[in-house]
Amino acid sequence: MDAKKQEVAEVQAIKGINSTARIRTPRNTFRRVSKVAGLLLLIILITVNSGFAAFLHQFYLKWGTPGSGDGQFNYPRGVAVDALQYVYVVDENNHRVQKFTFDGVFITKWGTQGSGQGQFLYPQGIAIGYEGPNIFVYVADQSNHRIQKFDYNGMFIREWGSNGAGDGQFNYPTAVAVDATGNVYVVDTNNNRIQKFTSAGTFIKKWGLPGILDGLFHSPWGIAVDPKSNAVFVSDTGNNRIQKFDANGTFLAKWGGYGGTDGRFNFPTALAVDEGGNLYVADSTNNRVQMFDTNGIFITKWGSWGSGDGQFNGIYGIAYSSPDQVYVSDFQNYRIQMFQRSVVVGTEPPQSSCPFVQNMDEQDDISTLRELRNSIISSPSGALLATLYYRDAGEISSIIAGNPALQEKFKQLVSENMGIAEALLAAGEVTITAEKVNAIVATLHEIQAAGSPKLQADINIVLWFIERGSLLEEIGITVGE
């Protein structure tokens, strides 16, 4: 096995490493620890203190033309991606669902116009749910005022709903989402409410009434559920805003307003959440996608009106697929576009939402961190570790924000590490003490202990780099006596 294959095999095996493994502390290992842990901490500090989210979405591929043949569309609406990377598209005016490989190769289709089981009448939203090893597809069959459930090959399982305003009834449902435990959330658009069901369609609860106050809606259109926190995001389309709720419908936050500037909307429709809790919003009439953190802080945007690659003509469906793909249904261009997400270097971000950072007003310090960020992420090792961090940015921020003791540690580390940042920029190298290294490593372990299995696995990759130690010689952080 050549060196490259050996390295790939080691990375692929990393999830088997014990997340609580001790780190050896001989002097030469301290030097390696300092380089990796110090780098990651600086990336964290740089990102948190600058509000930098480091996401770029580049056009990758597209498929679809107008028509009714396989792989053609007559107004594509909702789009969803399952754990096997299959892509499901609601083909509204063809009254069907089409299934593709991740790169747009047609696999199968189901549905015809009608009101029978497995038929549709102007279907809209689509979502994927899991029950054990089984994959299920839920479709908001809008003009039949019902939800239909299928297996992943399109075999009909069940349906529920009828036209009305009672519990379990709908008045033009447009979107559906499924949480990590299998509960199904439906946007009951013309009833201006959200309804929650079991995976078998048993009514659980509802919330929402017409209006502009918190928790009220004006023709809501899209919905997404964070699989980690079970936070529920709703596009309150007629009010041109996003509202955030807990799984029981308790109002948590809102943002938006009419307009075309960052963080404002013109007819927001579909929503999607990534593995870090960040939210994608189909800002339909602005012909763009906007990305926010879980608290509504603007991160980035892309798109404009047109028919070129990366342009849109109405957006009514969006889906995120790990690792780092975003699928968009380009409504009146009769196609699906896929974008690849990657790390950005040098973007000027907005203010961070982290609570202890909101009080920072030392703009010189923030500028220093941004400059160092660009220098570190420009290196191959820095880019790799930055990618791991950015993938978990939402969860790391939530862990820090919810732990006052950890917030205090970060306040101290922010202050102390400004000297490290300045020295690295000035001389290209810096020496720190073993005590500092231990504090950094302990902080990483504390974050890991509070994290999800995925975050723990990603930090294990960092620990693997600590043990290997050979990839970060260019960073220039060493440990003194």
Side-chain angles (χ1 to χ4, degrees), residues 116-138:
Q117 293 180 346
Q119 293 185 307
F120 302 109
L121 190 59
Y122 303 105
Q124 300 285 306
I126 191 168
I128 305 299
Y130 302 91
E131 297 172 34
N134 300 311
I135 300 173
F136 294 99
V137 180
Y138 297 84

Side-chain angles (χ1 to χ4, degrees), residues 159-282:
E159 63 178 305
W160 69 90
S162 60
N163 190 14
D167 296 344
Q169 292 185 307
F170 305 110
N171 191 353
Y172 293 100
T174 55
V176 60
V178 183
D179 69 19
T181 59
N183 295 312
V184 180
Y185 301 78
V186 179
V187 177
D188 189 5
T189 298
N190 283 9
N191 283 325
N192 290 290
R193 64 184 181 181
I194 305 300
Q195 295 196 67
K196 180 178 178 179
F197 303 87
T198 68
S199 60
T202 301
F203 175 82
I204 298 175
K205 70 182 308 161
K206 63 187 176 186
W207 70 89
L209 290 167
I212 62 173
L213 300 178
D214 296 347
L216 304 182
F217 302 110
H218 181 192
S219 300
W221 201 282
I223 193 166
V225 181
D226 183 344
K228 294 178 180 177
S229 68
N230 272 348
V232 179
F233 300 90
V234 179
S235 58
D236 186 7
T237 303
N239 286 321
N240 287 295
R241 65 182 179 181
I242 303 301
Q243 295 198 65
K244 179 182 177 181
F245 304 87
D246 69 14
N248 294 314
T250 301
F251 173 83
L252 299 176
K254 65 182 177 184
W255 65 91
Y258 175 77
T261 56
D262 295 348
R264 290 186 170 270
F265 307 107
N266 188 353
F267 206 81
T269 55
L271 304 175
V273 179
D274 72 9
E275 55 205 355
N278 301 303
L279 182 71
Y280 290 93
V281 181

Side-chain angles (χ1 to χ4, degrees), residues 310-375:
Q311 294 184 306
F312 306 108
N313 191 356
I315 309 172
Y316 287 92
I318 190 166
Y320 172 81
S321 175
S322 178
D324 300 325
Q325 289 83 41
V326 179
Y327 294 85
V328 179
S329 64
D330 189 1
F331 187 64
Q332 294 187 75
N333 284 323
Y334 306 96
R335 64 185 180 181
I336 301 298
Q337 295 194 65
M338 190 260 268
F339 299 85
Q340 181 67 40
R341 189 170 77 177
S342 59
V343 175
V344 175
V345 176
T347 299
E348 289 301 315
Q351 176 65 40
S352 169
S353 60
C354 290
F356 68 86
V357 177
Q358 289 177 339
N359 295 325
M360 283 192 63
D361 56 6
E362 297 294 333
Q363 293 301 317
D364 289 342
D365 285 354
I366 293 175
S367 296
T368 298
L369 289 172
R370 286 175 175 162
E371 185 179 349
L372 180 61
R373 171 202 70 204
N374 295 346
S375 174

Side-chain angles (χ1 to χ4, degrees), residues 425-462:
L425 285 172
E429 60 182 5
V430 68
T431 299
I432 64 176
T433 66
E435 181 181 9
K436 172 76 68 179
V437 173
N438 286 333
I440 292 171
V441 172
T443 302
L444 293 177
H445 276 298
E446 190 168 351
I447 293 172
Q448 184 184 42
S452 67
K454 184 181 182 307
L455 177 59
Q456 292 176 6
D458 282 354
I459 292 181
N460 276 337
I461 295 175
V462 176

Side-chain angles (χ1 to χ4, degrees), residues 401-417:
N403 186 328
L406 194 55
Q407 287 184 38
E408 289 301 317
K409 289 182 182 179
F410 261 75
K411 284 181 183 179
Q412 184 66 26
L413 289 169
V414 167
S415 175
E416 293 175 356
N417 278 280

